[in-house]
Amino acid sequence: MPRFNDVAWFEIGAADPAAAERFYGDVFGWTVAQDESASTDAAYRVIETGGSRGGLFSTKGEMPDYAVFTVLVEDVEAACRRVEEAGGKVQRPPAVNPVGVTFAHVLDPAGNHFSVFTPPK
């Protein structure tokens, strides 16, 4: 199982990658850097979460922004508050599914959709 505030590989495409970098840094403490072992394309930088890696791709406005991932968090409601404080929105408020997973769907400031969850207690 990944650690809290961690995901498996993921990718974010953003017309304004600097804004995306600030947002995810503010909410989860993630960092972004060029890593030529992952890609030699300067438009594709690597996000380090502290336990997994993902890519941040500059779409240069040539395609819609996107994000595809789910983040394990300690507290879904607290994560939703941090999302809103950092300029994002809660798209679907926290809910509990039939097997006890608490989750919410959120949007970053660019409108990229992702989700946060906690496993059953």
Side-chain angles (χ1 to χ4, degrees):
M1 163 109 27
R3 299 178 317 164
F4 290 117
N5 296 333
D6 207 2
V7 296
W9 187 266
F10 56 91
E11 185 171 271
I12 301 167
D16 186 350
E21 181 177 340
R22 278 190 306 276
F23 174 79
Y24 291 106
D26 289 349
V27 174
F28 299 116
W30 296 349
T31 59
V32 178
Q34 186 67 34
D35 183 346
E36 291 192 7
S37 70
S39 176
T40 57
D41 181 353
Y44 195 92
R45 299 179 66 205
V46 172
I47 300 171
E48 295 284 348
T49 69
S52 65
R53 295 165 48 130
L56 176 60
F57 177 72
S58 175
T59 64
K60 302 175 186 162
E62 297 170 358
M63 61 192 306
D65 287 3
Y66 65 90
V68 181
F69 58 91
T70 299
V71 180
L72 173 66
V73 297
E74 291 182 77
D75 182 327
V76 170
E77 289 184 12
C80 288
R81 282 192 303 274
R82 289 193 308 272
V83 163
E84 290 177 327
E85 290 166 359
K89 295 179 182 175
V90 175
Q91 184 180 48
R92 181 175 182 182
V96 180
N97 74 11
V99 297
V101 173
T102 303
F103 68 97
H105 289 257
V106 296
L107 302 172
D108 72 13
N112 291 311
H113 171 205
F114 66 99
S115 64
V116 293
F117 80 102
T118 58
K121 294 186 181 205

